[in-house]
Amino acid sequence: MENTAIIIAAGLGTRMKSSLPKAAHKLAGREMLRHLTMAAESVFTRVVVVVGPDMPALEALAAPHGVVVQAERLGTAHAARQAEDQFGEGLVAVFYADNPLVSPATMQALLARAQADDAGLVLLAMTPPDPGKYGRLVMRDGYVSRIVEYADATPEERRLTLCNAGGLAGKATDMRRWLAAVKAENAKGEYYLTDIAAIAQAEGVKVAAFEAPYAECMGINSRAELAAAEAALQTRLREAALESGVSMLAPETVFFSADTLLGADVIVGPYVVFGPGVTVEPGAEIKAFSHLEGCVVHSGALIGPYARLRPGADIGPGAHVGNFVEIKAATLGAGAKANHLTYIGDAEIGPGTNIGAGTITCNYDGKAKHKTKIGAKVFIGSNTSLVAPITVGDGALVAAGSTLTGDVAPNTLALGRARQVNKPKRP
């Protein structure tokens, strides 16, 4: 069956106090809108994003999915109706970009419930730790009797814990009819998506509730709520890593990006941060206080403590990157070592090479970046400066304290330092 997900992302998010649209803010290094579209595209035939006017950033984030524009912000039902031409003939589910953590499994379960014969409309529900001012779902005989907003609820209704999470699903033909029947009879003069529940019930249609974990349904309208959602997502990512065979000595101190890939038997020390685009192959170890982003760490490599891998770093099998070493846009061959106080940028380091403490690849001349190439089984002495572009051949030895501006042939000794002179003290 052809099913469609509509994601409403037209909100400005004024409470975020940001120049960015609310749905462009990130959780675990990924924009809120992208969290939802990536989850939805694994479940639905079609994904359509509703944005407000003048939101090119969100339109770009929505790609390659369809985008429709809500020219006037007249409420959530009005926003959903803008995508009516994209509904298709199967089921339609509506989600909100500021509820970005709904999982594919929950989306699939919501659709399965909507396909059952007993209910024509299914509401996504949750039980928050603190129901607060969420709208309550009043249940009767296993179905939703009505949605009551906190401000309109009686003291008894406020004690209910099952709350409306915002998402819903139903047949496309029904959704078109119900959305057309929504009226703006409220103080704000807006068309509310929740009103379709009463419209469906007036037709004799039963409304069901599917309860999902609160951590997937929590809404984000402020920086504080963004931080709370980040904490919930990090918990989910840590649990997934542990389940996949990763060892973490202090999981609560490790921070992941949504796309972090760690192989089995990877060991992660305390206070490690994984930025976007990191892959760590099985058997590697990331020691404490290291920061990785846009890099690949191959099997058996040892990183840190206090190492920084920047985008383009490719650390070979069994290689060592030690404390206070920074690597950017560089490959470190199998078994190579850079154990202390070193910067390697725009470089190729051959297998088995040792980079001494304090070594710098001088890759930037003020206008352009240049490359350093170091062969296999080279020994670079401590406090060496390699002024790129430069090539050091296999088996070469560079004396400590050298500053090199020219190539070094294989199997030679290179010295690029002033001759030591010792003068006696005057009487």
Side-chain angles (χ1 to χ4, degrees):
M1 182 182 293
E2 183 183 78
N3 299 318
T4 303
I6 307 299
I7 298 174
I8 298 176
L12 291 171
T14 52
R15 287 174 57 193
M16 301 289 281
K17 294 181 173 60
S18 172
S19 59
L20 287 176
K22 179 163 54 173
H25 285 266
K26 293 181 179 181
L27 291 170
R30 177 180 292 164
E31 295 84 358
M32 289 198 288
L33 178 58
R34 289 288 295 146
H35 276 282
L36 263 187
T37 56
M38 292 180 71
E41 68 191 16
S42 67
V43 175
F44 293 86
T45 310
R46 182 187 297 108
V47 178
V48 182
V49 179
V50 182
V51 302
D54 301 319
M55 286 185 160
L58 289 189
E59 293 187 35
L61 287 175
H65 304 294
V67 173
V68 294
V69 177
Q70 184 187 23
E72 295 182 87
R73 292 182 174 87
L74 299 178
T76 51
H78 180 263
R81 197 173 179 185
Q82 306 312 299
E84 185 177 336
D85 291 343
Q86 307 292 322
F87 281 7
E89 298 302 323
L91 296 174
V92 172
V94 180
F95 302 99
Y96 295 93
D98 55 6
N99 295 79
L101 300 183
V102 181
S103 69
T106 291
M107 292 180 177
Q108 189 66 61
L110 187 70
L111 285 183
R113 185 67 184 89
Q115 288 170 338
D117 294 332
D118 63 312
L121 178 66
V122 181
L123 307 181
L124 190 62
M126 61 181 176
T127 302
D130 178 9
K133 295 188 177 181
Y134 285 108
R136 305 303 204 265
L137 296 183
V138 180
M139 305 297 293
R140 181 177 300 163
D141 299 327
Y143 296 95
V144 178
S145 172
R146 63 193 183 99
I147 305 172
V148 57
E149 297 302 325
Y150 180 85
D152 302 322
T154 65
E156 182 180 350
E157 289 169 336
R158 290 180 180 182
R159 286 193 289 271
L160 298 173
T161 58
L162 188 64
C163 297
N164 180 32
L168 50 79
K171 295 182 177 63
T173 51
D174 293 334
M175 291 288 287
R176 291 189 182 94
R177 186 175 67 257
W178 295 334
L179 287 170
V182 174
K183 300 185 183 303
E185 296 175 343
N186 51 70
K188 290 187 176 181
E190 294 184 353
Y191 299 85
Y192 294 142
L193 189 60
T194 49
D195 289 351
I196 70 171
I199 294 169
Q201 289 166 332
E203 294 181 356
V205 173
K206 289 183 177 179
V207 178
F210 174 79
E211 184 176 357
Y214 171 68
E216 293 188 18
C217 299
M218 56 200 308
I220 300 172
N221 293 293
S222 66
R223 301 280 185 165
E225 291 173 346
L226 184 69
E230 179 74 36
L233 179 55
Q234 289 298 329
T235 296
R236 187 196 302 183
L237 294 172
R238 291 165 189 149
E239 290 173 350
L242 292 167
E243 184 67 25
S244 70
V246 173
S247 291
M248 289 187 280
L249 305 182
E252 70 280 3
T253 69
V254 177
F255 289 84
F256 293 97
S257 286
D259 63 351
T260 302
L261 296 175
L262 304 183
D265 294 318
V266 167
I267 300 173
V268 181
Y271 298 100
V272 171
V273 176
F274 294 97
V278 176
T279 297
V280 182
E281 292 185 349
E285 181 174 359
I286 315 299
K287 291 194 171 186
F289 292 98
S290 295
H291 190 288
L292 293 76
E293 180 178 2
C295 62
V296 177
V297 178
H298 292 278
S299 298
L302 181 63
I303 309 298
Y306 294 96
R308 185 182 182 196
L309 302 185
R310 292 171 58 191
D314 189 316
I315 311 304
H320 290 189
V321 177
N323 48 288
F324 305 106
V325 174
E326 178 180 351
I327 298 183
K328 186 268 298 182
T331 59
L332 207 60
K337 296 178 181 179
N339 277 327
H340 327 276
L341 305 162
T342 291
Y343 171 70
I344 299 173
D346 299 283
E348 294 177 6
I349 312 298
T353 286
N354 185 82
I355 307 295
T359 296
I360 300 171
T361 59
C362 306
N363 56 329
Y364 184 52
D365 64 6
K367 293 183 179 179
K369 299 288 182 71
H370 301 282
K371 194 155 193 174
T372 297
K373 295 183 179 181
I374 301 175
K377 297 184 178 179
V378 173
F379 184 92
I380 306 292
S382 297
N383 289 328
T384 294
S385 295
L386 300 163
V387 182
I390 189 170
T391 298
V392 180
D394 294 348
L397 188 153
V398 178
S402 294
T403 296
L404 301 185
T405 58
D407 292 348
V408 179
N411 300 309
T412 57
L413 169 65
L415 299 97
R417 62 192 184 197
R419 183 180 297 276
Q420 180 174 325
V421 176
N422 297 330
K423 295 185 178 181
K425 293 175 64 175
R426 293 182 179 180

